[in-house]
Amino acid sequence: MVPTMTLTDLLPADPDPDTLFETFSAWTAERGLELYPAQEEALIEVVSGANLILSTPTGSGKSLVAVGAHFTAMANGKRSYYTAPIKALVSEKFFQLIEIFGADNVGMMTGDSAVNPDAPIICCTAEILANIALRFGADAPVGQVVADEFHFYSEPDRGWAWQVPLLELPNAQFVLMSATLGDVTFFEKDLTRRTGRTTAVVTSAQRPVPLTYRYALTPLHETMTELLTGGQAPVYVVHFSQAAAIERAQALMSINVTTRAEKDALAEAIGDFRFSAGFGKTLSRLVRHGIGVHHAGMLPKYRRLVEQLAQAGLLKVICGTDTLGVGINVPIRTVVFSALTKYDGVRQRHLKAREFHQIAGRAGRAGYDTDGYVVVQAPDHVIENAKALQKAGDDPKKKRKIVRKNAPEGFVNWTESTFERLISSPPEPLTSSFQVSHAMLLNVISRPGNAFEHMRHLLEDNHEDRPSQRKHIRRAIAIYRALVAAGVVERLSEPDSTGRIVRLTMDLQLDFALNQPLSPFALAAIELLDTESPTYALDVVSVIESTVENPRPVLSQQQFKARGEAVAALKAEGVEYEERMALLDEVTYPKPLEELLEAAYETYRRGHPWVADYELKPKSVVRDMYERAMNFVEYINFYSLARSEGLVLRYLADTYDALRRTVPDEAKTEPLEDLIAWLGEMVRQVDSSLLDEWEALRHPGEEPLPAERLPEKPPPVTGNERAFRVLVRNQMFRRVELAARRAYAELGELDAASGWNDIEWEAALEAYYEQHDRIETGADARGPAMLIIEKEPEVWRVRQIFDDPEGDHDWGISAEVDLPASDEAGAAVLRVTAVDQL
C-alpha cells in the first residue's frame, strides 16, 4: 500500500507565523474545507504564539483549530498534549490524529494504556496531564496544551485536573476550547500573568448553521409526526434517564418513520450484525424501523451501530440521554427536549444554561442543513390543559367548565419562560474545584527542588478563595505528617544536589494513582491467599474486584434480589413484619472476603497512607457470574440489567484487564488461568470492540479499521479452546445447580428445544433422588475432574458427573456440543442427550 501524505510532510523548514498559517490553510483547502472567520482568527493567534481561549458554538470547527495548534507546536519542535474528559474521546482523537499526522507522531496515555508516549503529539485524559504537571512543574516536557471540553473545569470531583496544568506549566502555550465557557475574563488575565504570553479570546455566537427554537404544546407523537413530515429529520429526542429513552423509542414505533425503500436500505446496512438476546432484540426491531437508541448503558457495538446508521442517513429518530452534550458523533438536524429538568443525584432541578446550550448546540449539520431546530416539549399537564382550551374555542361557558390539570405532586415544573430564559442566558461562570490529595503531595515531593515552595505555590496561588485555600493548606499539612509517620517521606538534613529538602523513600511510577490505584494493595492481599485452596482462583478474583469501580446498577439489583430472598425466608420462619424490616437493613449485595480484605487494607494503609484517598470496594460480579455458571445474557436477565448492558460489560472488561495485568505469573494457577481465559472470551464474544480497542492501542503500527465500517463478528468462540472448555463446563454446571435445587421449570426453559422439558427433567432427577439425598454444588463439584469431554471435528460429547454425598459419582448429565452453532452464537450451544446412571 502506498503511504498517503500526512500533514507532517508539509512542515515548513522556517516555522514563521505567516508560513505556518499559509501552509495549514492550503492543507485545509485541499481537503475541501473553507475556514470560518473565527477559525482564521484563532489560528492566526495560535501560530503567533499566543494562548487561545476558543468559545464558539458546536459545529464551528474547534477540532480543526486544535489540529492547527498541534501542527504549530510540531513545527516549533515542541510536544503538544490534547486532553479530553473521557477515555472514549481521547481514543477517538488519537486515531483521528494518526490519520492526519501519521502513527509515529501521535501517542496516547489514559491510565489504562500508554502508546508511543514519546511522540510529539500526545492524547490523554486531563488527569494524566495534571499528573505530569505535578511531577515536573515548570520543567515538564510540555510545549502546548489543547484542553477540549474545558467547561469540565467546574466539575466538583474532577475539575482540579483542568486547573493544575494552568498553575504548574508556565512555559506552555494553552488552547482552551468549549462551546459553553461563559465569561472567561478571569482566565484571560490569569493565563497571561502565569505564562507571559498574550491570551487571545475568540468567541462567536454566530453558528455555521443557525438555530430555530420552538416550544411545543402538542403531545410528543404529534410533534414528532410534524417534524418528520416537515423534513426536519434526523431528530434526537433527549431524555434524562436511560429508561425513558428506551420507552420513548418503543412508543414511537407506532409512527410510520421510514418508507419501504428506507427499510430495505436499513436491512442491507445492518446485514448479519449479531444482536444478542434481551435489549439487542429490542434494538434490532427499532433500528429496522428507522429509530435508534443511544445512551451510556448500551453495549459499545450497539452505540457504534446507531452512530454509523445515523451517519449514513438511515435513522430518522434517535432517542437518547444527554450524553449528546459530550461529543456524541451523530448527525442531527433537530434536537427535541422531552423536559427541561433532570435529576442530578440529589434532587430534580432545572437544566443549567450550560447544559442546555451544550445539548441544543448539537442541532444542525454543517454542510447539510441551512437551519438547525431546537424543540422543547411542554409538560404533559400543560399540553392537556392547552388542548382543552383549544377545544373550548371562544365559548366562555365551555372555558369556565374546564377543570385544569395540576402538575403531579413533587413535579418540578418548567414553562415557556423557562425555555426563553435558557435560550438567552449565557453559560454560568466556571468555578474552581481545586483539591488536595496524597497523590498530589507525592508527585510534588518527587520533583527536584524545594517541595515546600512548590506546594506553597500550588496552595496559595490557585483559583480558590482565601478561606478555601486555608482549608487546603490544613489538609496538605495533615497528609504530609501522615506520609512522614509512615516512613514514605523523609526530611533531609541538608538539601541534595537537586535542591530537595524532603524525599520519597520509594520509587513512584508515572501513572501513580491513576490506573487502579489499589493494584499494589491487591498484590499484597493475593499473597495472603492459599494457592492450594479449592476456591483460590475465585478468591483472587474477589481481591481484584475489590479494587475496581463499583457497577452500581448491578450491586443495586443484587441487593434487591437478596432482600427478596431474605423476605421469603423470614416469612417462612414466621418472623413478624417489624422484625423482618429491621433484619432487611442488614442485607446487602455479596461481599466475599470482606473481613480479610478490610483487615489487610488497614494494615497496608499504615505503611502506604495515600491509599486512604481510595475506597476498598468488596463485591462479587465476576465471581457471582462464575459461581452461578451463567453467561452474559443469562446474568443480565437474572438481575434485569438490560438497560445497563454496556456498564456491566465495561466492568467485566476492566476486571479482566486488571486480572491480566495485576496478578503476577507465579500466582496464576491453572484454574485461575482458565477463569481469566473464560472471562476474556466472554467479553470478546459479547462485544469485541473493547478488547479490539485495547489491542489496537497496544499495536498502533497496524492500520486501524475504517471508521465507516460496521462492527464485525468476533473471532470463532471455539478458536480459544481453553476458554471454550470453561464455557462448556459452566453450561453443564448451570444445569447441575438447577438440578440441585430441583428447579425443573428453569431446566425445561433451557432444554425444551432438545426435548428436555420440565416433565422430562423431573422424571430423570426423581430417579436420582430415590438413591441420593442431594446434589453437591461446592468447589469439588465444579472441578474439571467432574467433566469428561470427548472431542470430534464438529461436536464435543460431554458428561457432567454429579457430586453425590456418598461419593459414588455414578450419575450425571450427557450432552453434545455443536461447534459450528457455538461459533455462530458466540456461546457454547449444547443439546442434552441423557440424565442417567452409568
Side-chain angles (χ1 to χ4, degrees), residues 738-814:
L738 294 173
R741 292 193 283 113
R742 306 192 189 198
Y744 304 127
E746 292 180 56
L747 285 164
E749 288 178 15
L750 279 177
D751 297 309
S754 57
W756 282 81
N757 58 25
D758 56 340
I759 297 172
E760 296 289 332
W761 270 105
E762 184 172 3
L765 288 169
E766 286 307 309
Y768 168 87
Y769 282 117
E770 287 176 5
Q771 299 179 28
H772 303 286
D773 292 337
R774 63 186 183 278
I775 299 174
E776 304 288 357
T777 58
D780 292 336
R782 180 188 290 279
M786 305 298 282
L787 182 68
I788 301 169
I789 299 178
E790 297 177 5
K791 301 174 186 176
E792 296 180 16
E794 293 197 343
V795 66
W796 284 6
R797 304 187 192 283
V798 298
R799 174 79 174 176
Q800 175 68 54
I801 301 168
F802 289 160
D803 186 14
D804 58 87
E806 294 76 24
D808 294 339
H809 297 167
D810 54 345
W811 275 78
I813 306 170
S814 297

Side-chain angles (χ1 to χ4, degrees), residues 199-403:
T199 300
V201 177
V202 177
T203 60
S204 173
Q206 184 176 357
R207 292 170 45 89
V209 180
L211 295 181
T212 300
Y213 296 93
R214 179 159 71 90
Y215 191 70
L217 287 166
T218 51
L220 187 59
H221 267 62
E222 293 181 22
T223 303
M224 292 300 298
T225 301
E226 183 183 340
L227 292 171
L228 292 169
T229 56
Q232 290 173 241
V235 182
Y236 195 104
V237 189
V238 182
H239 303 78
F240 295 97
S241 76
Q242 296 173 4
I246 295 169
E247 288 167 8
R248 184 77 66 189
Q250 292 175 313
L252 291 174
M253 287 280 284
S254 61
I255 297 177
N256 190 18
V257 172
T258 51
T259 64
R260 180 70 264 168
E262 289 168 334
K263 284 185 172 69
D264 292 341
L266 276 163
E268 184 178 352
I270 293 167
D272 60 354
F273 179 88
R274 184 195 288 171
F275 291 95
S276 305
F279 177 71
K281 300 303 181 187
T282 300
L283 182 64
S284 177
R285 289 194 303 272
L286 290 169
V287 294
R288 293 175 196 280
H289 196 74
I291 299 171
V293 176
H294 197 286
H295 61 72
M298 292 168 60
L299 294 178
K301 67 177 181 181
Y302 292 156
R303 289 203 306 272
R304 187 174 166 216
L305 174 69
V306 169
E307 289 168 6
Q308 291 173 347
L309 291 176
Q311 288 159 8
L314 296 173
L315 294 181
K316 298 293 185 68
V317 178
I318 301 173
C319 296
T321 57
D322 54 339
T323 51
L324 174 68
V326 191
I328 176 179
N329 189 21
V330 172
I332 300 158
R333 189 173 193 191
T334 303
V335 170
V336 175
F337 285 82
S338 61
L340 289 179
T341 59
K342 67 180 291 186
Y343 182 70
D344 63 6
V346 178
R347 61 188 176 88
Q348 194 78 14
R349 60 165 175 79
H350 287 124
L351 295 183
K352 297 176 181 177
R354 170 168 288 106
E355 293 167 331
F356 174 79
H357 290 299
Q358 198 73 29
I359 299 167
R362 296 287 167 184
R365 302 164 298 175
Y368 294 90
D369 300 324
T370 55
D371 288 279
Y373 299 92
V374 179
V375 180
V376 169
Q377 285 292 120
D380 290 342
H381 68 280
V382 174
I383 292 173
E384 289 189 39
N385 290 337
K387 225 175 180 182
L389 281 170
Q390 186 180 16
K391 189 175 180 181
D394 295 329
D395 189 331
K397 291 183 179 178
K398 289 182 179 179
K399 283 185 177 181
R400 282 196 297 271
K401 289 182 181 178
I402 293 173
V403 179

Side-chain angles (χ1 to χ4, degrees), residues 525-566:
I526 288 170
E527 292 180 2
L528 302 175
L529 304 178
D530 178 9
T531 55
E532 299 302 316
S533 168
T535 63
Y536 172 75
L538 289 172
D539 290 343
V540 171
V541 170
S542 291
V543 171
I544 296 299
E545 287 201 80
S546 72
T547 69
V548 181
E549 281 302 310
N550 282 347
R552 297 194 181 282
V554 183
L555 305 187
S556 175
Q557 287 298 99
Q558 284 181 332
Q559 184 175 47
F560 178 77
K561 187 169 281 288
R563 287 184 172 179
E565 293 169 354

Side-chain angles (χ1 to χ4, degrees), residues 70 134 327 512:
H70 293 306
L134 290 168
F512 172 79

